Amino acid sequence: MIKIGHRGAKGYVAENTLASFQKAIDLIVDGIELDVHLSSNGEIMVIHDETIDRTTNGNGFVKDFTSVELKQFGIPTLTEVLDLMNHNFFVNIELKSNDSAEKVIDLIEKYVSENNWDYENFMISSFLWANLEIVSQKNKKIKIGVLSEDSIEIALTFAKEVKAFSVNPYFKLLNPENVKLMHNEGFQIHTWTVNSPEDITFVKSLLVDGIISDFPDKI
Ligand code: G3P
Ligand code: CA
């Protein structure tokens, strides 16, 4: 079972910032989860929302700012985050929009071919499953995580279609029966966002494969 820091170490440091990813490293995670959107000049930016309103002191849509402007608001590029992380960490890149799949695939391929990273250490996940079809068509070596917050059954059907690596369900959907079903179908289970000690104990008892938490040191 691997420990994955949600948006870095969101429980301790402002989410999806370089400081948050450094905190996750300091807490000795196995990996991190992060969210991406594209800037106006096509850079892959690490931010959860489609606007910068909630997490910075600015206002407006990510897609309307250049990467230089977004960096001034404290929003890192995916390249900066990967360069901070040692290539032995697992990185789950969640696509939050429908325009970034190709660019993220290209960047992963570059890090594998030029920067000593391994495909093992990357996953692309999304609730927007059309993105995952693109990944499946363009590069079968990249692990796919099928995010679901409402139906494991439907997620499992889609996971088979795109030959996903894992199903990534909201933890409250899990029970011993559906965990067994997903494992029997050959999928790993990376569940989110598991924060309380009781909930962490619960998902550990189910023998999931990855736990995504704001407090990865508590896993
Ligand atoms: O990848 C799991 C989790 O991050 C999905 O929900 O809203 O935190 O991106 P959210
Ligand atoms: Ca996320």
Side-chain angles (χ1 to χ4, degrees):
M1 189 274 304
I2 61 170
K3 303 177 186 188
I4 302 164
H6 186 229
R7 309 184 199 171
K10 177 176 180 282
Y12 299 105
V13 179
E15 68 186 59
N16 284 328
T17 58
L18 291 175
S20 190
F21 298 114
Q22 181 60 55
K23 180 70 178 176
I25 293 170
D26 296 343
L27 295 175
I28 316 182
V29 295
D30 299 300
I32 55 164
E33 186 268 359
L34 54 81
D35 310 283
V36 300
H37 288 273
L38 291 188
S39 66
S40 63
N41 57 321
E43 275 284 330
I44 307 163
M45 307 303 300
V46 178
I47 180 168
H48 182 276
D49 301 356
E50 65 176 353
T51 74
I52 66 170
D53 302 10
R54 180 178 60 84
T55 53
T56 77
N57 59 6
N59 285 285
F61 286 93
V62 176
K63 65 179 173 55
D64 293 335
F65 291 96
T66 66
S67 52
V68 171
E69 291 166 335
L70 291 166
K71 280 162 76 164
Q72 283 164 357
F73 285 111
I75 301 165
T77 62
L78 181 56
T79 299
E80 288 177 304
V81 177
L82 294 181
D83 289 344
L84 173 72
M85 305 300 296
N86 180 292
H87 56 76
N88 290 322
F89 285 98
F90 174 75
V91 179
N92 173 344
I93 302 164
E94 183 188 344
L95 309 183
K96 285 293 191 190
S97 58
N98 269 320
D99 52 6
S100 62
E102 281 91 352
K103 282 183 184 286
V104 172
I105 292 165
D106 288 348
L107 192 66
I108 290 173
E109 289 172 348
K110 178 174 182 288
Y111 271 73
V112 169
S113 64
E114 297 175 17
N115 293 12
N116 215 22
W117 283 64
D118 194 287
Y119 280 115
E120 275 299 301
N121 292 326
F122 285 108
M123 170 182 285
I124 294 180
S125 67
S126 192
F127 290 107
L128 306 169
W129 291 353
N131 281 319
L132 305 180
E133 287 173 343
I134 294 171
V135 178
S136 161
Q137 285 156 14
K138 294 205 82 169
N139 189 330
K140 299 198 186 319
K141 293 181 185 158
I142 298 175
K143 292 177 178 175
I144 291 173
V146 179
L147 276 165
S148 176
E149 58 188 337
D150 45 30
S151 168
I152 283 181
E153 196 183 22
I154 297 170
L156 191 51
T157 302
F158 182 74
K160 288 181 207 166
E161 280 172 33
V162 292
K163 296 190 166 48
F165 173 79
S166 65
V167 180
N168 295 14
Y170 178 46
F171 76 93
K172 289 194 175 172
L173 298 177
L174 294 173
N175 59 50
E177 291 72 34
N178 60 29
V179 165
K180 191 173 175 195
L181 184 63
M182 286 183 274
H183 278 158
N184 283 346
E185 296 282 3
F187 298 104
Q188 289 211 1
I189 300 163
H190 286 199
T191 193
W192 50 275
T193 302
V194 197
N195 288 333
S196 77
E198 300 76 28
D199 293 335
I200 289 170
T201 300
F202 166 65
V203 297
K204 279 175 135 175
S205 76
L206 295 173
L207 303 178
V208 299
D209 306 281
I211 300 176
I212 300 171
S213 176
D214 296 339
F215 305 93
D217 53 323
K218 305 255 192 281
I219 298 170

